[in-house]
């Protein structure tokens, strides 16, 4: 693929300029087809849902290599986190306390969420922001969309419009932690009145703030289109390849928050630890890495049937393949299908080993929409049908001091399973003006999911004495109605309200990592939204009240599995409620301020935690200990999130000062304090509130011939705040000789980088 992209880039640069100058006529200087490509999954100004948007210029101003979760910090109710502490590599986010696995993400209306985990792994899409025209964040249930259920928010991304003029861009940056970013873009402009192409190549590297948390990310984006006055056919392909050292274990609390007299270590990374050498220096496995490649293909047809009716259909296919490799110490050989062996007369049942876990998946399907606009109403009929096949398998490639069977296979496979999922949905949506000021909104969606998992999982079942058997076949039929009113009594004042229902099926981890006798249930959400917007030339204000009532919500329980993925469990009754305030004003010419504030309460009613009990031999007992806590706070759901952004522009100089405050978060749903813990001064299962400030400076140099040179400096965490954005807790009980239960707890956190800088230079022509 690399050779094809380089060839295409050379072709565009060679022919674009002179050829397009003579053919761009009035009929193609503005192609309205581009503006309606994703209208079916977007909210408009008259849709009674809560949303925010980031346009191309805003994305460009903050895109210095960090993943999209960190760019979303400019929107309300968002928290972003990074394993490596820099916003590059493995990153995640939450909106209104809802984790990313419950947030629907689409690109051009095509689903991006992984069919089994339900998440979007941004590390597989590095520098995707450089190829975006804009994105929209809908909070709450929002409008009907394609793919995974929107269970707290949805993010609708639109890739760049086809280029009407030829262009080229070279963009490079360097900063702290040996971070570098290089992006090259070029576009043909219009060729022969009906064709246009553009392409991007990107490379991002970083050593990371956390020890050994290095990343090597490469990506591309290519699109070509044919169009006339009523038709557009567009082909898009984009992909990424990543190699990332593991940093998903976090920093143990006793190292991050040591007792008096001991020194803290905010960059410590336990991943890959192999023991100490003769001089008692720690040794780490050099290839403790994640390796994955993902490629997307989209072929879309947009047809204007008449001025009121437009039709859009897209075929898509995504191929993913990769593995992660890790060193494991003292593992029971039986867990890996290996027999004990003798070494120097001693029978070895446990040994260090190196394993690789693979994922080989295919995802494809069709999405379509038909949009009708006339007089007082606009209506959409749309849907999708998708198919996923995912192969999971693992290999043991090395065992320390192995002296067993002489024919030991260095690619010994110890588990294999397959996940198959069919997902289809159909929706009809309309917005109709009852009067000049009042409009009514309705949205009906039906979604059907057929999900199967068969085979052996990667986890040893101690009770059964074998690898965990997977035999799951679930069919879900969900009906998701939505309705609302929109009232605009004058040009400045708008009032809206809506009620919406959403359902969501459990993901793979809910089945494979469920507790003893735990059967995951689908979730149901009823979302009530009431909003007000006021807008004048020099200032604006908005307020949105929400109440999100859940049945069987799958909430983060603070635990993670062996690869750092956060785990969830059902709680019967819970809710999230709050108010989101947004505002902005022009203080003086050139100086503007914007900000947002979220105040919320996030509660579980009558919460009972079920904790594993281990016997004196270290084996789990069949019955778990039930601890009742009453009404508790939902984990990772702060009561306060606030953002402030000052921007200043004077001629070619720009500056931005962004402040982000996040209140206290709990690691699990107990709110418990571990009074028995003596290794760390951090007794509470929580993440402290933090207040972080970032500064951006830029200057644009313009030259004749439409050339522009931009120089930018980003200073992140300007005041060197020590803070953490994520963490996990694991707890259990050990049965004592007298039958009593002794609690045991482990906690780890993900510290973020202190003050750090990133420079960037971009040449556009």
């Amino acid at each position: 693929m690399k050779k094809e992209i380089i060839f295409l880039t050379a072709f565009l640069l060679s022919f674009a300029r002179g050829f397009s100058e003579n053919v761009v006529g009035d009929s193609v200087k503005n192609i309205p087809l581009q503006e309606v490509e994703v209208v079916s999954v977007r909210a408009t100004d008259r849709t009674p849902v809560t949303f925010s948007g980031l346009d191309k210029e805003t994305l460009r101003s903050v895109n210095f290599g960090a993943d999209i979760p960190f760019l979303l910090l400019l929107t309300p109710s968002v928290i972003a986190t990074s394993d490596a502490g820099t916003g590059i590599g493995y990153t995640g986010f939450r909106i209104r306390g809802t984790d990313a696995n419950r947030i629907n993400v689409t690109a051009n209306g095509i689903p991006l969420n992984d069919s089994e985990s339900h998440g979007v792994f941004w590390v597989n899409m590095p520098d995707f922001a450089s190829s975006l025209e804009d994105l929209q964040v809908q909070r709450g249930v929002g409008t009907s969309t394609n793919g995974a259920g929107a269970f707290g928010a949805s993010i609708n991304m639109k890739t760049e419009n086809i280029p009407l003029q030829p262009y080229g861009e070279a963009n490079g940056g360097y900063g702290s932690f040996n971070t570098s970013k290089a992006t090259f873009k070029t576009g043909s402009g219009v060729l022969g009145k009906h064709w246009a192409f553009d392409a991007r190549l990107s490379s991002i590297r970083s050593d990371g703030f956390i020890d050994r948390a290095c990343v090597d990310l490469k990506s591309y984006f290519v699109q070509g289109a044919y169009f006339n006055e009523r038709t557009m056919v567009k082909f898009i392909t984009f992909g990424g390849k990543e190699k990332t050292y593991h940093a998903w274990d976090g920093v143990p609390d006793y190292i991050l928050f040591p007792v008096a007299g001991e020194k803290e270590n905010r960059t410590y990374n336990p991943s890959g630890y192999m023991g100490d050498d003769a001089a008692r220096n720690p040794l780490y496995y050099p290839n403790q890495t994640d390796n994955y490649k993902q490629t997307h293909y989209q072929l879309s047809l947009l047809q204007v049937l008449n001025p009121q009716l437009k039709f859009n259909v897209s075929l898509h296919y995504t191929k993913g393949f990769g593995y992660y490799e890790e060193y494991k110490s003292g593992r029971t050989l039986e867990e890996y299908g290996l027999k004990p062996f003798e070494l120097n007369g001693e029978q070895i049942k446990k040994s260090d080993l190196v394993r690789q876990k693979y994922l080989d998946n295919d995802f494809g399907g069709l999405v379509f929409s038909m949009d009708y606009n006339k007089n007082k109403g606009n209506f959409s009929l749309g849907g999708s049908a998708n198919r996923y096949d995912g192969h999971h398998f693992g290999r043991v490639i090395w065992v320390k001091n192995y002296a067993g069977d002489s024919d030991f296979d260095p690619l010994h496979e110890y588990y294999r399973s397959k996940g198959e999922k069919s997902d289809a949905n159909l929706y009809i949506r309309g917005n109709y003006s009852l009067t000049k000021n009042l409009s009514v909104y309705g949205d009906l969606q039906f979604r059907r999911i057929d999900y199967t998992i068969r085979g052996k999982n990667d986890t040893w079942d101690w009770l059964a004495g074998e690898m965990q058997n997977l035999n799951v076949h679930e069919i879900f039929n969900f009906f998701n109605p939505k309705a609302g009113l929109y009232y605009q009594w004058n040009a400045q004042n708008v009032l809206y309200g809506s009620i919406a229902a959403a359902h969501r099926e459990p993901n793979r981890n809910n089945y494979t990592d469920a507790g003893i006798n735990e059967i995951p249930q689908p979730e149901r959400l009823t979302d009530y939204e009431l909003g007000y917007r006021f807008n004048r030339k020099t200032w604006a204000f908005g307020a949105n009240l929400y109440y999100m009532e859940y049945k069987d919500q799958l909430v983060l329980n603070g635990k993670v599995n062996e690869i750092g993925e956060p785990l969830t469990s059902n709680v019967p009754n819970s809710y999230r409620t709050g108010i989101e305030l947004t505002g902005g004003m022009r203080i003086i010419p050139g100086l503007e301020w914007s900000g947002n504030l979220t105040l919320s309460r996030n509660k579980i009613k009558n919460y009972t935690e079920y904790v594993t009990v281990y016997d004196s031999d270290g084996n789990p007992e069949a019955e778990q200990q039930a601890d009742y806590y009453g009404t508790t706070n939902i984990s990772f759901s702060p009561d306060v999130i606030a953002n402030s952004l000052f921007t200043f522009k004077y001629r070619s100089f720009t500056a931005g000062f962004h402040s982000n405050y996040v209140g206290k978060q709990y690691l699990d749903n107990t709110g418990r304090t571990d009074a028995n813990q003596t290794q760390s001064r951090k007794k509470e299962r929580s993440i402290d509130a933090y207040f972080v400030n970032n500064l951006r400076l830029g200057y644009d140099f313009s030259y004749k011939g439409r050339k522009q040179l931009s120089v930018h400096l980003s200073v992140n965490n300007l005041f060197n705040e020590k803070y953490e954005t994520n963490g996990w807790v694991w707890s259990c009980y050990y049965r004592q000789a007298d039958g009593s239960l002794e609690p045991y707890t482990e906690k780890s956190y993900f510290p973020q980088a202190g003050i750090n800088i990133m420079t960037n230079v971009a040449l556009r022509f």
Side-chain angles (χ1 to χ4, degrees), residues 600-676:
S600 67
R601 290 174 59 85
N602 310 273
K603 300 290 184 179
I604 299 173
K605 301 177 182 179
N606 302 314
Y607 178 62
T608 299
E609 182 188 39
Y610 295 90
V611 185
T612 300
V613 179
Y614 291 91
D615 61 23
S616 57
D617 295 325
N619 298 319
E621 296 182 358
E623 296 295 326
Q624 293 181 299
Q625 172 69 19
D627 294 331
Y628 177 73
Y629 290 93
T631 299
T632 62
N633 293 294
I634 300 178
S635 60
F636 302 100
S637 302
D639 292 343
V640 182
I641 302 174
N643 286 280
S644 170
L645 177 63
F646 287 93
T647 56
F648 177 73
K649 296 181 180 180
Y650 179 73
R651 295 183 178 176
S652 298
F653 174 76
T654 59
F657 184 73
H658 176 222
S659 302
N660 175 234
Y661 175 84
V662 176
K664 180 179 178 180
Q665 306 173 63
Y666 291 94
L667 292 177
D668 66 6
N669 303 300
T670 67
R672 182 174 173 176
T673 298
D674 298 308
N676 66 310

Side-chain angles (χ1 to χ4, degrees), residues 5 9 34 37-38 42 54-68 71 106-109 112 122 124-136 156-163 167 169 171 181-187 197-204 218-224 234-240 296 298 764:
I5 296 172
T9 302
Q34 299 185 121
E37 287 180 281
V38 293
R42 285 283 176 96
L54 298 176
D55 61 22
K56 187 174 183 176
E57 289 305 315
T58 301
L59 292 169
R60 177 178 288 177
S61 69
V62 296
N63 181 19
F64 298 108
D67 291 339
I68 284 178
L71 308 187
T106 58
N108 305 321
L112 292 179
W122 302 101
N124 300 326
M125 301 170 60
D127 201 26
F128 192 59
S130 290
S131 294
L132 289 182
E133 189 69 25
D134 56 47
L135 64 81
Q136 183 183 90
N156 308 311
M157 300 185 292
K158 180 179 182 297
T159 55
E160 284 187 305
N161 291 337
I162 59 172
Y167 76 93
E169 179 179 336
N171 188 317
K181 175 180 181 288
T183 301
F184 301 94
K185 299 176 65 177
T186 183
F197 305 88
D198 66 340
R200 170 184 59 83
L201 289 173
S202 298
S203 174
I204 299 175
K218 295 178 174 59
S219 66
Y220 77 93
F221 176 91
V222 176
Q223 68 174 339
K234 180 186 286 190
F235 174 74
I236 297 174
T237 176
F238 58 91
H296 301 255
Q298 300 178 359
R764 302 181 184 92

